[in-house]
Amino acid sequence: MKIGFIGTGVMGHAIIVNLMNAGHELFVYNRTKSKTDDLVANGATWKDTPKEIAAASEIIFTMVGYPQDVEQVYYDESTGIFASDVKDKILVDLTTSTPSLAEKINQTANDKGAASLDAPVSGGDLGAQNATLTIMVGGEQTVYNKVMPLFEKMGKTYTLHGTAGKGQHTKMANQIMIAGTMTGMTEMLVYADKAGLSLQKVMDTLAGGGAANWSMTNYGPRILKDDYSPGFFVKHFIKDLKIALDEAKKMSLDLPSTQLATQLYEKLADQGNENDGTQALIKLWWKERTNS
Ligand code: NAP
């Protein structure tokens, strides 16, 4: 199948490799062209604009950073996906973005005889590399059925949650949960460290009990190695938490724990750590770790 892919960062690059390994023909575009060099060396075809990607492909995936990037990639009047004839094509946005933008893209796609899905993912850089992502989808069942064979090459769990935008809402539910597991893991490590415990032993023990969770299993070991590389960027988590709080506000919901997590991550970013991975939250407490 001819697949277009826009956004070849941490997540997009790894997903493209899996799609190419499954035998698909890939057309790629990224703001910084050099991030596609190895993909092109391995058989992908570079296109100069999202518009050209759309013209060359049957299904177009986007995996960019922020909602404004999604807006630009789809709607730029001269270079965007919708500047191309998209009739009968399927557009799938994997970016974590706003439910309202997903609805808008769906409306435009339908107006132009195309179809769209919002399909944000969870599972991190390793999930993308190992094709074990969880994919949360909004859109029409018939469109979902057509894209499912490709979701199978990217992830282990994929679920249609309803009409356009519902995939993004599900991702917000996911991020609200992650806000709790990241702050919980961080405070747990800070406490265990001060109490003079072996952090490795504590994590091994907790992983077998009621406190077991994905954040600790995946990011705890990175913290113990002082590895704060992304993974999942602090700046993107702040973006997600702000979308979640905005959506909650629209539903007249107060989410104080998510608000506090947002403030903590904003403080971390203000200290110059916005391009670290989210496990860097512990830097708010640790200048130097005392135990290991
Ligand atoms: P990333 O490494 O920054 O990748 C985003 C890519 O999109 C970059 O290569 C960027 O280009 C490109 N891009 C941005 N705007 C563009 C535009 N207008 N035109 C063309 N390309 C554009 O981030 P990531 O970690 O892959 O995350 C991507 C999305 O997935 C984010 O929404 C994030 O919240 C979400 N997500 C990430 C994870 C994770 O663990 N990393 C997990 C789940 C969801 P440049 O190279 O020029 O910057």
mmCIF file of all heavy atoms in Angstrom, residues 20-48:
data_model
loop_
_atom_site.group_PDB
_atom_site.id
_atom_site.type_symbol
_atom_site.label_atom_id
_atom_site.label_comp_id
_atom_site.label_asym_id
_atom_site.label_seq_id
_atom_site.Cartn_x
_atom_site.Cartn_y
_atom_site.Cartn_z
ATOM 1 N N MET A 20 7.498 0.043 6.964
ATOM 2 C CA MET A 20 8.367 -0.373 5.845
ATOM 3 C C MET A 20 8.738 -1.850 5.980
ATOM 4 O O MET A 20 8.736 -2.589 4.996
ATOM 5 C CB MET A 20 9.628 0.506 5.793
ATOM 6 C CG MET A 20 9.326 1.895 5.253
ATOM 7 S SD MET A 20 10.711 3.042 5.392
ATOM 8 C CE MET A 20 11.833 2.407 4.180
ATOM 9 N N ASN A 21 9.019 -2.277 7.192
ATOM 10 C CA ASN A 21 9.349 -3.694 7.414
ATOM 11 C C ASN A 21 8.177 -4.605 7.057
ATOM 12 O O ASN A 21 8.377 -5.772 6.728
ATOM 13 C CB ASN A 21 9.757 -3.939 8.878
ATOM 14 C CG ASN A 21 11.143 -3.388 9.168
ATOM 15 O OD1 ASN A 21 11.922 -3.135 8.244
ATOM 16 N ND2 ASN A 21 11.465 -3.184 10.437
ATOM 17 N N ALA A 22 6.955 -4.039 7.111
ATOM 18 C CA ALA A 22 5.771 -4.834 6.749
ATOM 19 C C ALA A 22 5.549 -4.841 5.229
ATOM 20 O O ALA A 22 4.569 -5.408 4.746
ATOM 21 C CB ALA A 22 4.541 -4.275 7.459
ATOM 22 N N GLY A 23 6.446 -4.169 4.480
ATOM 23 C CA GLY A 23 6.400 -4.251 3.020
ATOM 24 C C GLY A 23 5.658 -3.110 2.341
ATOM 25 O O GLY A 23 5.404 -3.171 1.134
ATOM 26 N N HIS A 24 5.307 -2.063 3.074
ATOM 27 C CA HIS A 24 4.570 -0.953 2.463
ATOM 28 C C HIS A 24 5.525 0.053 1.810
ATOM 29 O O HIS A 24 6.688 0.172 2.201
ATOM 30 C CB HIS A 24 3.696 -0.251 3.512
ATOM 31 C CG HIS A 24 2.617 -1.139 4.024
ATOM 32 N ND1 HIS A 24 1.536 -1.509 3.254
ATOM 33 C CD2 HIS A 24 2.461 -1.764 5.218
ATOM 34 C CE1 HIS A 24 0.755 -2.316 3.951
ATOM 35 N NE2 HIS A 24 1.291 -2.489 5.147
ATOM 36 N N GLU A 25 4.963 0.790 0.827
ATOM 37 C CA GLU A 25 5.731 1.842 0.143
ATOM 38 C C GLU A 25 5.489 3.156 0.884
ATOM 39 O O GLU A 25 4.337 3.600 0.986
ATOM 40 C CB GLU A 25 5.255 1.941 -1.317
ATOM 41 C CG GLU A 25 6.090 2.883 -2.142
ATOM 42 C CD GLU A 25 5.636 2.925 -3.598
ATOM 43 O OE1 GLU A 25 4.688 2.198 -3.970
ATOM 44 O OE2 GLU A 25 6.229 3.724 -4.351
ATOM 45 N N LEU A 26 6.552 3.783 1.387
ATOM 46 C CA LEU A 26 6.402 4.969 2.232
ATOM 47 C C LEU A 26 6.862 6.246 1.535
ATOM 48 O O LEU A 26 7.935 6.285 0.916
ATOM 49 C CB LEU A 26 7.231 4.783 3.514
ATOM 50 C CG LEU A 26 6.507 4.238 4.770
ATOM 51 C CD1 LEU A 26 5.522 5.256 5.336
ATOM 52 C CD2 LEU A 26 5.788 2.932 4.508
ATOM 53 N N PHE A 27 6.030 7.288 1.643
ATOM 54 C CA PHE A 27 6.378 8.635 1.200
ATOM 55 C C PHE A 27 6.484 9.486 2.455
ATOM 56 O O PHE A 27 5.551 9.489 3.274
ATOM 57 C CB PHE A 27 5.303 9.181 0.259
ATOM 58 C CG PHE A 27 5.167 8.359 -0.987
ATOM 59 C CD1 PHE A 27 4.310 7.263 -1.026
ATOM 60 C CD2 PHE A 27 5.932 8.651 -2.115
ATOM 61 C CE1 PHE A 27 4.205 6.484 -2.179
ATOM 62 C CE2 PHE A 27 5.832 7.876 -3.265
ATOM 63 C CZ PHE A 27 4.972 6.789 -3.299
ATOM 64 N N VAL A 28 7.619 10.175 2.639
ATOM 65 C CA VAL A 28 7.854 10.848 3.916
ATOM 66 C C VAL A 28 8.116 12.335 3.749
ATOM 67 O O VAL A 28 8.668 12.781 2.744
ATOM 68 C CB VAL A 28 9.044 10.195 4.682
ATOM 69 C CG1 VAL A 28 8.698 8.768 5.093
ATOM 70 C CG2 VAL A 28 10.332 10.225 3.856
ATOM 71 N N TYR A 29 7.703 13.078 4.771
ATOM 72 C CA TYR A 29 7.986 14.519 4.856
ATOM 73 C C TYR A 29 8.173 14.885 6.320
ATOM 74 O O TYR A 29 7.461 14.379 7.196
ATOM 75 C CB TYR A 29 6.834 15.358 4.272
ATOM 76 C CG TYR A 29 7.028 16.838 4.490
ATOM 77 C CD1 TYR A 29 7.951 17.557 3.731
ATOM 78 C CD2 TYR A 29 6.333 17.506 5.488
ATOM 79 C CE1 TYR A 29 8.171 18.905 3.961
ATOM 80 C CE2 TYR A 29 6.538 18.865 5.719
ATOM 81 C CZ TYR A 29 7.458 19.559 4.956
ATOM 82 O OH TYR A 29 7.675 20.879 5.201
ATOM 83 N N ASN A 30 9.155 15.748 6.590
ATOM 84 C CA ASN A 30 9.366 16.271 7.942
ATOM 85 C C ASN A 30 9.901 17.691 7.827
ATOM 86 O O ASN A 30 10.593 18.025 6.857
ATOM 87 C CB ASN A 30 10.380 15.393 8.702
ATOM 88 C CG ASN A 30 10.450 15.752 10.173
ATOM 89 O OD1 ASN A 30 9.480 15.590 10.908
ATOM 90 N ND2 ASN A 30 11.593 16.262 10.617
ATOM 91 N N ARG A 31 9.579 18.530 8.819
ATOM 92 C CA ARG A 31 10.044 19.927 8.781
ATOM 93 C C ARG A 31 11.565 19.978 8.634
ATOM 94 O O ARG A 31 12.093 20.720 7.809
ATOM 95 C CB ARG A 31 9.577 20.632 10.067
ATOM 96 C CG ARG A 31 9.870 22.096 10.125
ATOM 97 C CD ARG A 31 9.175 22.713 11.327
ATOM 98 N NE ARG A 31 9.469 21.984 12.560
ATOM 99 C CZ ARG A 31 8.756 22.081 13.678
ATOM 100 N NH1 ARG A 31 7.705 22.881 13.725
ATOM 101 N NH2 ARG A 31 9.087 21.393 14.750
ATOM 102 N N THR A 32 12.258 19.194 9.443
ATOM 103 C CA THR A 32 13.716 19.094 9.307
ATOM 104 C C THR A 32 14.021 17.880 8.431
ATOM 105 O O THR A 32 13.862 16.736 8.865
ATOM 106 C CB THR A 32 14.375 18.930 10.699
ATOM 107 O OG1 THR A 32 13.948 20.000 11.536
ATOM 108 C CG2 THR A 32 15.896 18.920 10.604
ATOM 109 N N LYS A 33 14.465 18.142 7.213
ATOM 110 C CA LYS A 33 14.584 17.069 6.220
ATOM 111 C C LYS A 33 15.566 15.979 6.650
ATOM 112 O O LYS A 33 15.353 14.788 6.382
ATOM 113 C CB LYS A 33 15.020 17.681 4.881
ATOM 114 C CG LYS A 33 14.952 16.689 3.733
ATOM 115 C CD LYS A 33 15.351 17.320 2.412
ATOM 116 C CE LYS A 33 15.269 16.276 1.300
ATOM 117 N NZ LYS A 33 15.777 16.767 0.028
ATOM 118 N N SER A 34 16.641 16.381 7.339
ATOM 119 C CA SER A 34 17.689 15.400 7.678
ATOM 120 C C SER A 34 17.153 14.242 8.521
ATOM 121 O O SER A 34 17.736 13.157 8.521
ATOM 122 C CB SER A 34 18.838 16.096 8.418
ATOM 123 O OG SER A 34 18.349 16.696 9.600
ATOM 124 N N LYS A 35 16.023 14.457 9.215
ATOM 125 C CA LYS A 35 15.467 13.374 10.035
ATOM 126 C C LYS A 35 14.816 12.276 9.192
ATOM 127 O O LYS A 35 14.316 11.302 9.733
ATOM 128 C CB LYS A 35 14.443 13.924 11.038
ATOM 129 C CG LYS A 35 15.076 14.690 12.186
ATOM 130 C CD LYS A 35 14.063 14.968 13.282
ATOM 131 C CE LYS A 35 14.620 15.915 14.324
ATOM 132 N NZ LYS A 35 13.596 16.334 15.285
ATOM 133 N N THR A 36 14.809 12.465 7.867
ATOM 134 C CA THR A 36 14.280 11.410 6.992
ATOM 135 C C THR A 36 15.409 10.705 6.214
ATOM 136 O O THR A 36 15.146 9.780 5.465
ATOM 137 C CB THR A 36 13.280 11.987 5.961
ATOM 138 O OG1 THR A 36 13.985 12.894 5.092
ATOM 139 C CG2 THR A 36 12.128 12.714 6.622
ATOM 140 N N ASP A 37 16.645 11.168 6.402
ATOM 141 C CA ASP A 37 17.754 10.675 5.556
ATOM 142 C C ASP A 37 17.885 9.155 5.593
ATOM 143 O O ASP A 37 17.989 8.504 4.552
ATOM 144 C CB ASP A 37 19.089 11.311 5.986
ATOM 145 C CG ASP A 37 19.193 12.765 5.545
ATOM 146 O OD1 ASP A 37 18.318 13.215 4.771
ATOM 147 O OD2 ASP A 37 20.135 13.454 5.990
ATOM 148 N N ASP A 38 17.898 8.583 6.798
ATOM 149 C CA ASP A 38 18.111 7.127 6.877
ATOM 150 C C ASP A 38 16.896 6.371 6.340
ATOM 151 O O ASP A 38 17.026 5.287 5.782
ATOM 152 C CB ASP A 38 18.444 6.694 8.302
ATOM 153 C CG ASP A 38 17.302 6.951 9.255
ATOM 154 O OD1 ASP A 38 16.715 8.051 9.204
ATOM 155 O OD2 ASP A 38 16.957 6.029 10.034
ATOM 156 N N LEU A 39 15.709 6.975 6.486
ATOM 157 C CA LEU A 39 14.498 6.328 5.949
ATOM 158 C C LEU A 39 14.572 6.284 4.427
ATOM 159 O O LEU A 39 14.259 5.266 3.808
ATOM 160 C CB LEU A 39 13.244 7.090 6.398
ATOM 161 C CG LEU A 39 12.997 7.109 7.919
ATOM 162 C CD1 LEU A 39 11.914 8.128 8.268
ATOM 163 C CD2 LEU A 39 12.603 5.716 8.407
ATOM 164 N N VAL A 40 15.002 7.398 3.832
ATOM 165 C CA VAL A 40 15.128 7.459 2.372
ATOM 166 C C VAL A 40 16.225 6.492 1.917
ATOM 167 O O VAL A 40 16.061 5.776 0.920
ATOM 168 C CB VAL A 40 15.411 8.915 1.920
ATOM 169 C CG1 VAL A 40 15.787 8.980 0.445
ATOM 170 C CG2 VAL A 40 14.185 9.795 2.194
ATOM 171 N N ALA A 41 17.306 6.430 2.678
ATOM 172 C CA ALA A 41 18.387 5.486 2.329
ATOM 173 C C ALA A 41 17.876 4.048 2.357
ATOM 174 O O ALA A 41 18.398 3.179 1.656
ATOM 175 C CB ALA A 41 19.555 5.650 3.302
ATOM 176 N N ASN A 42 16.840 3.803 3.158
ATOM 177 C CA ASN A 42 16.292 2.442 3.256
ATOM 178 C C ASN A 42 15.053 2.220 2.390
ATOM 179 O O ASN A 42 14.328 1.248 2.585
ATOM 180 C CB ASN A 42 15.972 2.120 4.719
ATOM 181 C CG ASN A 42 17.254 1.842 5.496
ATOM 182 O OD1 ASN A 42 18.062 1.020 5.109
ATOM 183 N ND2 ASN A 42 17.450 2.575 6.593
ATOM 184 N N GLY A 43 14.778 3.170 1.476
ATOM 185 C CA GLY A 43 13.737 2.888 0.486
ATOM 186 C C GLY A 43 12.515 3.802 0.519
ATOM 187 O O GLY A 43 11.667 3.719 -0.370
ATOM 188 N N ALA A 44 12.395 4.677 1.530
ATOM 189 C CA ALA A 44 11.263 5.615 1.537
ATOM 190 C C ALA A 44 11.517 6.715 0.503
ATOM 191 O O ALA A 44 12.658 6.966 0.122
ATOM 192 C CB ALA A 44 11.104 6.230 2.930
ATOM 193 N N THR A 45 10.437 7.378 0.079
ATOM 194 C CA THR A 45 10.568 8.453 -0.919
ATOM 195 C C THR A 45 10.262 9.792 -0.255
ATOM 196 O O THR A 45 9.201 9.957 0.361
ATOM 197 C CB THR A 45 9.578 8.239 -2.083
ATOM 198 O OG1 THR A 45 9.822 6.944 -2.639
ATOM 199 C CG2 THR A 45 9.741 9.298 -3.162
ATOM 200 N N TRP A 46 11.186 10.747 -0.378
ATOM 201 C CA TRP A 46 10.974 12.094 0.164
ATOM 202 C C TRP A 46 10.034 12.884 -0.739
ATOM 203 O O TRP A 46 10.116 12.795 -1.973
ATOM 204 C CB TRP A 46 12.309 12.820 0.289
ATOM 205 C CG TRP A 46 12.164 14.312 0.484
ATOM 206 C CD1 TRP A 46 12.235 15.289 -0.470
ATOM 207 C CD2 TRP A 46 11.894 14.977 1.726
ATOM 208 N NE1 TRP A 46 12.026 16.519 0.103
ATOM 209 C CE2 TRP A 46 11.816 16.372 1.443
ATOM 210 C CE3 TRP A 46 11.713 14.545 3.050
ATOM 211 C CZ2 TRP A 46 11.563 17.319 2.431
ATOM 212 C CZ3 TRP A 46 11.460 15.491 4.035
ATOM 213 C CH2 TRP A 46 11.391 16.860 3.726
ATOM 214 N N LYS A 47 9.110 13.631 -0.146
ATOM 215 C CA LYS A 47 8.282 14.584 -0.900
ATOM 216 C C LYS A 47 8.451 15.951 -0.242
ATOM 217 O O LYS A 47 8.605 16.043 0.980
ATOM 218 C CB LYS A 47 6.808 14.161 -0.862
ATOM 219 C CG LYS A 47 6.526 12.892 -1.670
ATOM 220 C CD LYS A 47 6.487 13.189 -3.157
ATOM 221 C CE LYS A 47 6.364 11.943 -3.992
ATOM 222 N NZ LYS A 47 6.495 12.196 -5.428
ATOM 223 N N ASP A 48 8.358 17.016 -1.049
ATOM 224 C CA ASP A 48 8.709 18.351 -0.572
ATOM 225 C C ASP A 48 7.661 19.017 0.315
ATOM 226 O O ASP A 48 7.975 19.976 1.012
ATOM 227 C CB ASP A 48 8.994 19.271 -1.768
ATOM 228 C CG ASP A 48 10.394 19.036 -2.317
ATOM 229 O OD1 ASP A 48 11.270 18.656 -1.521
ATOM 230 O OD2 ASP A 48 10.584 19.209 -3.538
#
